[in-house]
């Protein structure tokens, strides 16, 4: 009991200090450990298993849509990085440079990839010659490095894992369709697997990716009312293709430049899961990516028949879900708290009295509801309850986002909401950079996206009063 | 037909120039592309799919044995690399150094990991406190960098992919058992999945891993008679634990140092697959890791009913194996050559005459045998034939290795064989470094391993004539 208490007390309540609550969960749920390397994480087994589940679901989807995995070098020679002007300006300030190799100074320094457009283009220039070589639908799973000054586990680290898709197409239409398709893959993944509702939309020019013609994003709202950019998809037009001299003979036998996309989702999303679903008892994991979906806890496990029954139940569960048990000498209470902390979606308790009644107790992590289930119905009830946990988590997150989304039609109103109420603010915008910068400066809000689902709140820009071109979601962001 | 001829002619015959034959296969089978980054590869979809299959099989096995995946940083601060003396001496000369980050000179330079013992130890020092924390059975899939001067795709590249297992144990016995277990996992994988026979044994002190107490290896023999170290497993004792101050309270409540292992297999093994099984028509892939196990080629595909039947057959195959079809306008002959080049284990031809007889033609890649199979028997015959291809490949490789393994009982004999006959030479050794170095210098042979299956060829060292301590496999190696 002492240990259980200690563990529960060890998490700082969310309302008291959100940042500390986050750090406590990362540490206590054993997701990652700070490393001896500034700004780099050690992702521990439980955290990495979450990433593997995310990877496996996305990878399967990518492959179903015709994408193939490849591996590009982790280094980019300086001259290659410099080929596309906007891109190098965006990334050069935050890269790590290798200047020595094998005991000698390198004649050209190499940066550790912050993203791999340049490497893919270098390869595409060698392998794309004819329209028959298109489309190229490549993806890679890897880690990249951006020299961030202040870092936080998962949310912002010097090295992080991600996947980066890089595709080349015959036509602009096809490339635009790919950009949109992949944004929808991310959005559906967030909503259907991670139970995170997202806003789908387009970034303003100020916020778009360095070198892109258009950047699309999905934005999620965290517990504390800050936004998290959770996945992006970029349309490049033929800008990189021209810079890298990638040309193909088209169907009319003319030389053309292909049209390009890239899209990525990273370990950052694990930070999003923590901050969307977690509570003061710890992590709450969406069933689809939880390393353990059901934790079997034998109660009074030294009583005759309990361990046997609990193992029998475990074996049945393992046929259709990720289930584990804890037969350690810790008290059931300690175990309950421990696996709540780790966010396991369902706890299955089984003790002598349950066995007498041929039942077990299932406890949902999301709302702590206790459900008595006949042991004859495990195979149907457990999947139903996992789905119920997912749905409950999604609905709760969606309700919170709706509660925390405000509308402003004047700049005064906007500033007041920004001061007093964390969350999204919907407001009209004229499209001018000047207004976007003024809103950033005076209200502390960045434009999160111009949502695909536009609403007509008003005819005028919230900032300058000129004719409005789009409704924008504004917010403070991670 | 012209294209088919062109393609076949494009591979340099193995006997004419083995190195060029290898390079031709890598390029023509589209396994990898040279990149603009010196010594680094672009692994193309077909090559990367092979690596994914290797990874999936090994990863499953590792997890069954209780290992967990983690992710360590890709950088090692110089002070961390230097903590274990032998280790830094072995690796420091061949690392790449990051000296600049975010536009500033770093106060301490970071090397890009050449291997991660130091990072794992740094983490273990923080998380291992009690015998209850042991064993730690961690693994990571990543890429590492070694600044090689001369590089070749898969065999030796500046950056390469691998997995590295790093484990910590309460006792030396347990750690030694783990070292041996993982070597056997690699050996069984090579033999049972890759059809590559291997010699299991221990490295001499001269050839062991920097910082290890003992290194175990599996050695395979390539087509040209050169050896390929195909997987290694190291026992470290408590050397790193002492250097990194990793201590735990043992079962007797005393402070102890844990005992450590590490073990790895890399993309190098893809080079081993090429050079063990390939022939003058191209790659020959073991069915277990072939991205395409059966290639369906419709013959006279514009004749009525052919495409329909071929698609029906494909759909049936895809239920139990990795099957594809090629419905492009290339001739069947071109397609036969193309997928032989790509090493697809089985080709399934189906044309109007076959359809009349309710049959298809299956052609084995390993021996080109043609088998007529009733369409009613696809589900049983195809798995049988895939197994037959595997067995045929293994037997052929084993027979060749036996043919190319020689025995020498005098130094003269050893030098003569080394001059005239490529392959392994078994010879007795006294255990002295001086003899090992003399054999290297005068016969051009390195010790490959002291096999677990020792034979008593003679009582005397082949080099100095003193009492022999072990039989050693000697050879030239990649």
């Amino acid at each position: 009991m002492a240990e259980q208490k200690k563990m529960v007390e060890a998490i700082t309540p969310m309302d008291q200090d959100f940042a500390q609550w986050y750090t406590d969960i990362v540490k206590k749920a054993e997701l990652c450990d700070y490393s001896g390397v500034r700004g780099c994480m050690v992702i521990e087994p439980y955290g990495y298993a979450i990433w593997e589940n995310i990877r496996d679901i996305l990878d399967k989807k990518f492959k179903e849509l015709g994408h193939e995995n490849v591996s590009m070098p982790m280094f980019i020679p300086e001259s290659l990085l410099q080929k596309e002007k906007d891109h190098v300006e965006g990334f050069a300030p935050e890269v790590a440079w290798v200047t020595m190799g094998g005991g000698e100074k390198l004649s050209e320094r190499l940066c550790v990839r912050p993203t791999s457009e340049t490497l893919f283009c270098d390869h595409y220039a060698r392998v794309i010659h004819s329209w028959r070589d298109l489309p190229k639908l490549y993806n890679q799973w890897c880690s990249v490095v951006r020299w961030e000054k202040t870092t936080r586990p998962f949310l912002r680290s010097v090295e992080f894992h991600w996947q980066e898709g890089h595709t080349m197409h015959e036509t602009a239409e096809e490339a635009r369709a790919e950009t949109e398709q992949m944004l929808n893959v991310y959005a559906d993944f967030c909503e259907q697997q991670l139970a995170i509702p997202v806003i789908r939309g387009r970034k303003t020019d100020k916020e778009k990716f360095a070198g892109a013609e258009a950047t699309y994003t999905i934005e999620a709202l965290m517990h504390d009312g800050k936004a998290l950019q959770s996945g992006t998809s970029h349309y490049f037009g033929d800008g990189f293709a021209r810079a890298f001299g990638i040309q193909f003979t088209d169907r009319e036998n003319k030389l053309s430049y292909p049209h390009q996309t890239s899209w990525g989702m990273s370990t950052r999303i694990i930070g999003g899961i923590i901050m969307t679903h977690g509570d003061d008892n710890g992590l709450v994991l969406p069933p689809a990516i939880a390393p353990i979906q059901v934790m079997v806890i034998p109660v009074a496990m030294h009583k005759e028949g309990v361990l046997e029954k609990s193992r029998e139940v475990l074996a049945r569960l393992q046929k259709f879900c990720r289930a584990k048990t804890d037969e350690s000498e810790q008290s059931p209470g300690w175990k309950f708290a421990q696996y709540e902390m780790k966010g396991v979606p369902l706890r299955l308790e089984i003790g002598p009295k349950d066995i007498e009644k041929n039942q077990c107790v299932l406890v949902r992590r999301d709302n702590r509801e206790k459900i008595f289930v006949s042991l004859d119905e495990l195979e149907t009830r457990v999947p139903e309850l996992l789905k119920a946990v997912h749905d409950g988590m999604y609905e709760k997150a969606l309700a919170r986002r709706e509660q925390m989304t405000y509308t402003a039609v004047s700049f005064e109103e906007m500033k007041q909401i920004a001061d007093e109420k964390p969350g999204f603010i919907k407001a009209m915008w004229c499209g001018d950079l000047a207004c976007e910068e003024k809103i950033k400066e005076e209200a502390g809000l960045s434009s999160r996206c111009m949502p695909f689902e536009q609403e007509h709140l008003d005819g005028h820009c919230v900032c300058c009063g000129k004719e409005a071109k789009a409704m924008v979601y504004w917010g403070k962001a991670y």
Side-chain angles (χ1 to χ4, degrees), chain A:
Chain A
M1 222 30 214
E3 279 205 74
Q4 183 194 353
K5 243 182 141 186
K6 194 175 117 201
M7 171 152 289
V8 174
E9 282 175 356
I11 311 190
T12 306
M14 203 185 278
D15 288 344
Q16 187 181 312
D17 182 343
F18 191 77
Q20 189 59 48
W21 167 84
Y22 178 83
T23 308
D24 285 354
I25 287 194
V26 165
K27 204 178 150 66
K28 296 283 168 185
E30 297 174 297
L31 300 178
C32 72
D33 180 30
Y34 290 90
S35 76
V37 192
R38 195 195 71 81
C40 295
M41 304 176 275
V42 172
I43 308 183
E44 297 187 77
Y46 197 66
Y48 200 74
I50 294 174
W51 182 239
E52 286 184 315
N53 290 337
I54 290 172
R55 182 195 69 188
D56 289 350
I57 296 170
L58 285 175
D59 196 66
K60 185 158 175 276
K61 186 70 194 170
F62 297 161
K63 284 176 177 162
E64 280 169 12
L65 295 171
H67 301 92
E68 301 179 292
N69 286 338
V70 299
S71 168
M72 291 286 153
M74 70 155 77
F75 300 125
I76 307 173
E78 187 162 19
S79 55
L80 200 63
L81 188 68
Q82 287 173 337
K83 277 200 172 180
E84 210 286 340
K85 211 178 110 297
D86 293 336
H87 188 70
V88 68
E89 276 177 18
F91 282 104
E94 59 177 42
V95 297
W97 290 105
V98 173
T99 60
M100 305 268 301
E104 284 171 22
K105 191 166 179 292
L106 304 184
S107 59
E108 179 179 17
R109 57 184 192 163
L110 309 171
C111 82
V112 183
R113 62 180 164 215
T115 178
S116 305
E117 277 74 10
T118 53
L119 293 162
F120 276 87
C121 284
D122 186 53
H123 176 65
Y124 284 145
R126 284 191 298 276
V127 298
I128 294 174
H129 308 294
S130 149
W131 64 269
R132 288 184 189 82
D133 300 323
L134 296 171
K136 287 280 181 213
L137 306 172
Y138 286 179
N139 175 63
Q140 78 173 345
W141 293 92
C142 63
S143 69
V144 293
V145 168
R146 298 179 187 174
W147 211 259
E148 304 281 358
K149 289 214 161 49
T150 48
T151 62
R152 297 187 60 195
F154 297 119
L155 293 175
R156 193 170 293 277
S157 51
V158 165
E159 181 189 7
F160 60 89
H161 289 262
W162 76 347
Q163 58 66 221
E164 44 178 329
H166 295 268
T167 69
M168 283 289 192
H169 305 264
E170 275 185 82
T171 65
E173 293 68 46
E174 201 186 297
R176 283 184 187 279
E178 167 83 1
T179 313
E180 197 179 308
Q181 168 181 264
M182 299 320 290
L183 190 80
N184 285 325
V185 165
Y186 292 145
D188 292 348
F189 173 70
C190 283
E191 299 189 338
Q192 294 163 20
Q193 314 284 338
L194 305 184
I196 299 177
V198 293
I199 308 285
R200 308 172 194 212
R202 181 174 171 172
K203 287 280 181 194
T204 61
D205 282 353
K206 177 176 185 289
E207 298 288 333
K208 74 182 186 189
F209 184 81
E213 210 166 276
T215 288
Y216 300 91
T217 180
I218 50 173
E219 300 282 325
L221 195 66
M222 304 295 102
H223 247 301
D224 62 345
K226 284 168 82 175
L228 187 79
Q229 175 180 305
S230 304
T232 49
S233 184
H234 315 290
Y235 171 66
F236 289 100
D238 60 8
F240 274 80
R242 286 177 188 272
F244 283 78
I246 310 172
Q247 283 187 296
F248 70 98
T249 311
D250 67 17
R251 288 171 202 255
E252 277 77 49
N253 216 29
K254 285 184 306 191
L255 269 184
S256 287
Y257 292 103
H259 291 73
Q260 185 176 354
T261 85
S262 80
W263 28 275
M265 184 173 264
S266 77
T267 37
R268 204 168 198 232
I269 197 68
I270 297 176
I273 293 169
I274 299 170
M275 293 193 298
T276 300
H277 300 304
D279 62 23
D280 285 347
N281 296 313
L283 199 57
V284 182
L285 289 176
I289 56 85
I292 306 168
Q293 294 172 312
V294 185
M295 193 73 202
V296 176
I297 312 281
V299 177
M301 69 179 186
H302 295 301
K303 290 259 167 76
E304 203 190 322
V306 172
L307 275 181
E308 288 74 0
K309 200 61 172 179
S310 129
R311 285 175 194 168
E312 184 193 310
V313 163
L314 178 71
R316 282 169 61 189
L317 292 171
Q318 286 176 332
K319 289 198 179 122
F320 62 90
C321 69
R322 296 186 288 272
K324 278 203 170 173
T325 190
D326 183 345
E327 297 182 356
S328 71
E329 293 299 331
Q330 303 283 6
S331 70
W334 183 93
K335 291 177 190 173
F336 296 169
Q338 170 72 1
Y339 300 105
E340 284 195 350
M341 165 67 71
K342 290 207 149 197
V344 177
L346 281 181
R347 174 170 84 229
L348 188 154
E349 305 169 13
I350 187 158
K353 281 181 199 159
D354 302 307
I355 295 170
E356 254 174 49
K357 296 183 196 162
N358 190 41
Q359 70 175 24
C360 62
V361 183
L362 281 158
V363 184
R364 284 172 60 164
R365 175 64 182 90
D366 62 321
N367 61 7
R368 294 187 140 181
E369 192 190 345
K370 276 194 168 198
I371 303 113
F372 293 86
V373 168
S374 157
L375 290 181
D376 297 335
E377 293 175 349
L378 274 186
E379 281 74 9
T380 52
R381 293 292 282 137
V382 167
E384 276 169 25
L385 283 168
L386 287 171
K387 178 154 188 328
V389 170
H390 171 91
D391 293 345
M393 289 170 70
Y394 181 79
E395 281 153 29
K396 199 194 272 184
L398 184 61
R400 197 182 57 238
R401 188 187 78 191
E402 283 173 358
Q403 250 178 22
M404 295 176 97
T405 300
Y406 305 91
T407 296
V409 289
S410 77
F411 198 40
E412 283 318 302
E413 191 183 12
M414 189 180 207
K415 285 191 284 190
Q416 196 185 341
I417 299 169
D419 265 3
E420 293 169 8
K421 297 169 184 163
F424 281 135
I425 301 176
K426 296 191 284 191
M428 304 306 289
W429 176 54
C430 62
D432 284 354
L433 178 61
C435 286
E436 197 177 354
E437 284 176 340
K438 190 175 169 194
I439 291 169
K440 177 79 198 173
E441 204 171 303
E442 297 188 16
L445 302 169
S446 59
S447 73
R448 302 316 309 150
C449 69
M450 297 175 282
F452 295 146
E453 289 187 18
Q454 283 284 312
E455 295 166 55
H456 183 79
L457 308 173
D458 187 338
H460 306 283
C461 174
V462 73
C463 182
C464 68
K466 280 189 296 194
E467 194 188 344
K469 292 211 175 117
M471 184 193 82
V472 171
Y473 274 89
W474 306 86
K476 291 166 184 158
Y478 278 96

